[in-house]
Amino acid sequence: MISRVRREMSQAELKDTFKGDEPRLKSGLRQFYGVVWASLKIMLSYKSWVIMDLVSTIASVVMYYFVGLQVDPTKLSQSGWGTSYLTFSIIGVATANYLWSCLTRLSHSIQHEIRGGTLEAIAVTPVNMFTFFIGQTARGYLVSLIYLLGVLAVGVAGLGVIFIMNVESLVTALAVFILMLISNQALGLVAAGIIMVYKRGDPVAFIVASLNEFLAGVLYPLGMLAAFPILQAISMSFPYTYALDGIRRALILGSSLTDPYVLKDILALSLFSLVLIPVGVYVLDWGYRTIRRKGETSTY
Amino acid sequence: MRLKDIIRFLGEPVPRGEVGFLEKVRAFLIRDFKTWWTYKLWVMLDIIGSLTFVATYYFVAQIVTPDALISAGYTPDFLTFTVIGISFQQYVYSSVSSLSEAIRDEQWDGTIETILSSRTGFKVFLLGESVFRFLVGSYFLLASLAMGVVIGAKLTLTAGSVLSSAVMALLLIASHMVVGALGAAAILKLKEGNPIVWAFTWLTQLLSGILYPLGLLPNYLQWLGALFPLTYSLDGLRRCLMSGDDLTSALIMQDVSKLLIFIAVMLPISLWAFKKAYDSTRREGSLGQY
């Protein structure tokens, strides 16, 4: 029976049967969409994890509400940031959390794929690897943005946080925020490049996040570092320090883009971006090329 | 080849005899130390991370008033108050979460099935996985406290207060080993996202008074905070290390009794939960799944 069928099949039919599938994802945009959507679907399949993550993000802000009850408003106002510690700290905590998840998103997802043995599979498909990296990063931004807005909303609606919200201050905060993402994403690219080669942990992101939280003034006014010139100098070498200052000036003091302090922050962030982004892209590319050359896309 | 040689060649190795309980725990300890020591960079980064976290509160302390601490009966020293809170909370966090993380790692690496299908029972497995992590946690705890002292925290160290703190710390460890076992049970079944570890890390941060005295919380949150052993441990440890109280103090004995009750109630429950999760995953054949 089988031999009769085989005899009846024409050469054209045989070719058609055995030929490979046409790659379905040709456009970069569709590949990008595919990566973001796949990643979101995986995340949403862990519903309890998503809820716990959201609640813990909000809990971390509520905690600073109670810390704020112990802060002397006079001492805070002397540093020029108003009298509400919660308003001051919520900007620090929310942006630091946001930055942490954005910084680590790409490196964690690469680590996850390597460990799951799927990075190699993705690398041999027609998906452009840089589209894959951009897609993973974009998913991080998107999800973390929801958390960020949730935290700010809880602060404003439930805990009495007061921001100065007019067109000028919001535009200023947004401009500084975007520059903060660009300049810090470069560090995320470096972290991802290094993690591909060295596999374990995420040392770059860890150092940046720890020092950011300690020295960028997330929980205390930066003026306090004046007594420690070395710490102050280190704090000025992180883009996040300028970003936090700019966003606070916009939302707490109502500063606009014409404010000289905000302009100084924007200039510093632009310089960081110009220098760090090429470095980040280079390290990411180096990491990917290295593991391909060594055949280590699925070793961990 | 003679028949005798063939039999010897193909024969299975004779079991070397029963390995003792302590020997197995020691083997876990050595294995985990070797793995940990391989990543020296991470050891250093972890230390830096813990120390910078403590140091941040040196600056926060400059803008805080001690009124709430005085109302709660503590010495008016916010820096010492937070150094103790943060150091012990990090200790608890690393100890509770690391047991689940260890099991998660074994699941990912495909080694959990191998270990648990050997003659190593689940109790030895749990203890073996915990011991090294508690030791590392203790090392970080001492480093954080030392850092606190360097930046100005004032600990009252008398024979009585140190001895009482040691008792409180032992109860803290025992109560959180119980919680760690519950978390391990959850991770065996759920694989991803662990509600137990989450509750004992994030909710304790909010409700156990790490950065503020519990009197600042509304009543219903104080009631919730009373469910966590860290709340009593921190209260007792602060009374010992800030005010120099010891086990003869009624307030400290109250904390000790509550911790003992927690351990007595939760230990059988957590071991039962782990055994159930362990048996269930073995029956389903999902022990090695992740």
Side-chain angles (χ1 to χ4, degrees):
Chain A
M1 176 73 180
I2 290 168
S3 60
R4 196 159 60 81
V5 171
R6 200 176 286 159
R7 271 201 306 278
E8 284 169 3
M9 263 179 131
S10 69
Q11 200 179 15
E13 280 171 329
L14 275 171
K15 273 185 184 168
D16 190 52
T17 308
F18 289 107
K19 79 172 183 189
D21 286 338
E22 284 288 315
R24 283 175 299 167
L25 295 171
K26 283 181 179 169
S27 103
L29 203 63
R30 283 196 67 188
Q31 288 186 2
F32 169 79
Y33 171 76
V35 172
V36 174
W37 184 233
S39 179
L40 275 176
K41 275 173 94 172
I42 292 171
M43 188 194 90
L44 290 174
S45 69
Y46 297 109
K47 290 186 185 64
S48 60
W49 183 84
V50 173
I51 294 167
M52 286 190 291
D53 210 28
L54 190 61
V55 174
S56 52
T57 311
I58 292 167
S60 69
V61 172
V62 176
M63 191 169 74
Y64 287 102
Y65 166 78
F66 293 112
V67 174
L69 296 179
Q70 301 174 94
V71 169
D72 183 351
T74 324
K75 287 181 183 168
L76 183 65
S77 69
Q78 281 166 1
S79 61
W81 292 116
T83 53
S84 165
Y85 181 73
L86 183 63
T87 307
F88 173 83
S89 60
I90 200 172
I91 298 175
V93 173
T95 51
N97 282 347
Y98 183 73
L99 215 52
W100 165 249
S101 42
C102 291
L103 262 176
T104 52
R105 170 64 205 158
L106 183 57
S107 51
H108 284 182
S109 69
I110 288 175
Q111 203 172 28
H112 201 76
E113 302 283 357
I114 290 176
R115 235 180 154 178
T118 44
L119 188 70
E120 194 158 83
I122 294 167
V124 295
T125 64
V127 173
N128 181 304
M129 279 316 277
F130 275 88
T131 311
F132 173 76
F133 294 145
I134 293 168
Q136 289 289 352
T137 310
R139 183 298 229 177
Y141 283 143
L142 190 69
V143 173
S144 306
L145 188 64
I146 297 168
Y147 289 135
L148 174 79
L149 294 176
V151 163
L152 295 179
V154 167
V156 172
L159 301 171
V161 167
I162 298 165
F163 292 137
I164 296 180
M165 289 197 276
N166 51 47
V167 178
E168 282 184 333
S169 69
L170 287 177
V171 168
T172 307
L174 188 66
V176 178
F177 185 75
I178 290 169
L179 282 170
M180 175 185 84
L181 293 186
I182 296 170
S183 53
N184 279 281
Q185 187 51 54
L187 300 170
L189 297 180
V190 171
I194 288 175
I195 215 165
M196 275 194 276
V197 177
Y198 295 104
K199 317 291 180 192
R200 170 84 180 195
D202 201 350
V204 176
F206 186 85
I207 292 170
V208 172
S210 298
L211 291 181
N212 268 346
E213 204 155 325
F214 176 39
L215 296 174
V218 173
L219 296 175
Y220 57 85
L222 211 55
M224 287 181 170
L225 284 181
F228 303 90
I230 297 173
L231 294 182
Q232 197 173 33
I234 298 171
S235 100
M236 289 305 171
S237 61
F238 289 104
Y240 179 57
T241 308
Y242 300 93
L244 194 51
D245 184 72
I247 295 172
R248 276 188 179 139
R249 281 185 190 283
L251 295 178
I252 298 177
L253 307 178
S255 303
S256 68
L257 285 169
T258 54
D259 182 300
Y261 289 105
V262 174
L263 279 176
K264 200 184 84 183
D265 291 331
I266 287 180
L267 185 68
L269 286 169
S270 306
L271 282 173
F272 273 116
S273 305
L274 278 174
V275 174
L276 290 176
I277 284 286
V279 175
V281 172
Y282 175 79
V283 175
L284 183 68
D285 186 47
W286 163 80
Y288 183 58
R289 277 188 288 110
T290 304
I291 58 168
R292 271 172 68 102
R293 198 174 52 245
K294 289 184 176 174
E296 289 179 349
T297 45
S298 56
T299 56
Y300 54 89
Chain B
M1 229 174 172
R2 287 178 307 164
L3 184 64
K4 220 161 101 182
D5 290 333
I6 294 172
I7 290 172
R8 190 170 54 83
F9 185 69
L10 294 177
E12 286 183 6
V14 177
R16 282 174 295 168
E18 191 65 39
V19 180
F21 175 81
L22 284 178
E23 211 177 325
K24 282 183 182 174
V25 173
R26 199 176 124 253
F28 270 103
L29 200 66
I30 293 170
R31 180 203 69 171
D32 289 339
F33 175 75
K34 280 181 169 173
T35 312
W36 183 70
W37 195 242
T38 312
Y39 300 105
K40 292 184 188 70
L41 174 67
W42 266 102
V43 175
M44 209 171 70
L45 290 180
D46 274 342
I47 294 173
I48 294 172
S50 301
L51 299 186
T52 54
F53 192 46
V54 171
T56 304
Y57 285 89
Y58 166 81
F59 295 104
V60 178
Q62 311 296 315
I63 51 172
V64 162
T65 58
D67 301 349
L69 295 184
I70 295 169
S71 309
Y74 295 114
T75 314
D77 180 354
F78 180 76
L79 179 63
T80 310
F81 180 88
T82 44
V83 163
I84 295 173
I86 291 168
S87 303
F88 281 95
Q89 195 274 337
Q90 282 188 336
Y91 182 47
V92 162
Y93 170 74
S94 69
S95 308
V96 170
S97 66
S98 63
L99 183 57
S100 300
E101 278 166 19
I103 289 183
R104 192 87 187 104
D105 281 344
E106 304 271 11
Q107 284 174 334
W108 270 99
D109 297 339
T111 44
I112 190 167
E113 203 159 3
T114 316
I115 297 175
L116 288 176
S117 48
S118 70
R119 298 179 77 184
T120 301
F122 81 94
K123 284 181 191 162
V124 182
F125 174 73
L126 269 184
L127 191 67
E129 292 281 6
S130 315
V131 170
F132 179 73
R133 284 156 184 93
F134 269 100
L135 286 180
V136 173
S138 307
Y139 169 70
F140 280 108
L141 169 72
L142 292 176
S144 293
L145 289 175
M147 176 71 182
V149 171
V150 169
I151 61 174
K154 294 178 193 75
L155 301 179
T156 308
L157 301 175
T158 62
S161 71
V162 171
L163 188 70
S164 308
S165 303
V167 172
M168 293 301 299
L170 279 176
L171 290 171
L172 174 87
I173 292 169
S175 57
H176 285 90
M177 273 182 112
V178 168
V179 177
L182 267 182
I187 208 81
L188 271 182
K189 284 298 284 178
L190 299 173
K191 318 289 181 195
E192 183 84 42
N194 191 333
I196 308 287
V197 170
W198 172 79
F200 275 85
T201 49
W202 286 103
L203 289 184
T204 52
Q205 258 192 43
L206 179 65
L207 304 171
S208 287
I210 291 156
L211 299 174
Y212 38 81
L214 285 181
L216 289 178
L217 296 176
N219 283 338
Y220 62 96
L221 288 183
Q222 284 186 35
W223 184 86
L224 267 177
L227 297 175
F228 297 102
L230 185 65
T231 310
Y232 308 112
S233 311
L234 279 184
D235 184 65
L237 284 161
R238 279 176 176 142
R239 290 186 192 284
C240 295
L241 293 173
M242 289 175 78
S243 318
D245 289 352
D246 55 31
L247 289 171
T248 55
S249 151
L251 288 172
I252 292 182
M253 279 317 287
Q254 233 176 51
D255 291 328
V256 169
S257 326
K258 284 171 184 165
L259 283 168
L260 285 172
I261 292 170
F262 181 87
I263 296 166
V265 173
M266 292 305 289
L267 181 66
I269 294 177
S270 66
L271 286 178
W272 173 82
F274 187 82
K275 181 83 171 67
K276 286 293 272 184
Y278 169 62
D279 287 343
S280 153
T281 45
R282 268 158 62 107
R283 207 170 36 248
E284 290 165 2
S286 64
L287 204 53
Q289 282 177 9
Y290 53 88

